[in-house]
Amino acid sequence: MIFDILTIFPSMFSSPLREGMIGKARERDLIQVRVHNIRDFAFDKHHMTDDRPFGGGEGMVMKPEPIVGALRAIEAGGPEARCILLTPQGRLFSQEIARGLSKLSRIVLICGRYEGVDERVAQHFTDDQISIGDYVLTGGELAAMVIVDAVARLIPGVLGNVGSALEDSFTQPVLEHPQYTRPRDFEGMGVPPVLLCGNHETIRRWRRGQALKRTSLRRPDLFAALELSAEDRQLLEEIET
Ligand code: 4FL
């Protein structure tokens, strides 16, 4: 998998791409991430990447020529590449979208800054527009990094097999159960005794109950969509009483 990132702040990606599983995946050549500076494709005297909006108004808009120049230089138009603009106006990113992207061989991510990107770039040079949530950032860079991270960990070999069951598209979305590790007593706070009982079936049932309770309290939207089994209903009832 190759990621090409177009940005006016390439150094924002340096350490996030070096650390942890993403750093390891790059060392092992499971993924390749190429970061391109849009400014290198601005050929006017001052290497301008933005300009004032037609029609007036606040802020600056990213000019089309440098972005399209960069896209052409990296041959982003090929049949292999999916070209994505990060923008608050995009469709909302999700695990399902990450799963879809993880099957591609090349993803081009365009990071917008300022008040946005000239609409002609969005319209004619991208395949998709993605938002990572309903908030405004100072630019698309962190959103692009979120996509690289979420997609890369789904590529076979990047994580080992730890996540594989969790990523199964047939498992229903439920929040994770609480986790505890040593020490057994931390500043007077203990660990639920069931986790120390050694009975795997008892522990599995407790975790499932906790996961369902959490989901109902914190994510009523996810909970409403769940198809609860007879055991699930029983576990929830036990927790209520
Ligand atoms: C991009 C916000 C993707 C959320 C400013 C420029 C953004 C963003 N998801 N904010 N791009």
Side-chain angles (χ1 to χ4, degrees), residues 47-66:
H47 303 282
M48 296 294 291
T49 57
D50 61 344
D51 204 342
R52 290 162 30 233
F54 276 126
E58 288 296 298
M60 300 290 266
V61 176
M62 290 185 77
K63 293 168 65 62
E65 304 95 315

Side-chain angles (χ1 to χ4, degrees), residues 145-156:
M145 192 61 226
V146 164
I147 298 207
V148 170
D149 193 281
V151 171
R153 65 183 287 285
L154 299 178
I155 293 168

Side-chain angles (χ1 to χ4, degrees), residues 194-213:
V194 60
L195 297 178
L196 312 171
C197 77
N199 184 325
H200 294 304
E201 178 60 10
T202 309
I203 292 170
R204 183 195 65 77
R205 285 169 52 87
W206 181 83
R207 285 179 164 166
R208 178 72 181 168
Q210 291 294 313
L212 291 169
K213 179 182 158 192

Side-chain angles (χ1 to χ4, degrees), residues 9 12 20 22 45 58 94 98 101 107 130 139 147 163 166 174 188 192 207 209 231 233 238:
F9 295 124
M12 279 184 76
I22 301 298
K45 197 169 90 184
E58 288 296 298
S94 64
L101 295 179
I107 298 173
I130 293 181
I147 298 207
L166 297 176
V174 180
R207 285 179 164 166
E231 184 193 57
R233 284 177 222 286
E238 284 171 21

Side-chain angles (χ1 to χ4, degrees), residues 78-172:
E80 298 287 80
R82 175 86 56 95
C83 187
I84 301 170
L85 175 65
L86 285 314
T87 164
Q89 280 79 47
R91 63 189 179 119
L92 193 56
F93 191 53
S94 64
Q95 192 63 27
E96 189 186 340
I97 293 177
R99 220 179 280 128
L101 295 179
S102 74
K103 295 174 171 66
L104 303 174
S105 60
R106 187 172 176 210
I107 298 173
V108 179
L109 298 164
I110 304 174
C111 308
R113 280 262 146 184
Y114 311 112
E115 270 44 56
V117 169
D118 188 287
E119 185 63 18
R120 291 164 292 188
V121 172
Q123 285 276 304
H124 300 286
F125 296 91
T126 71
D127 305 304
D128 205 352
Q129 298 181 35
I130 293 181
S131 162
I132 61 161
D134 290 333
Y135 36 75
V136 182
L137 304 168
T138 57
E141 282 76 10
L142 292 172
M145 192 61 226
V146 164
I147 298 207
V148 170
D149 193 281
V151 171
R153 65 183 287 285
L154 299 178
I155 293 168
V158 169
L159 276 196
N161 279 331
V162 184
S164 51
L166 297 176
E167 305 310 339
D168 190 323
S169 54
F170 299 104
T171 59
Q172 299 187 73

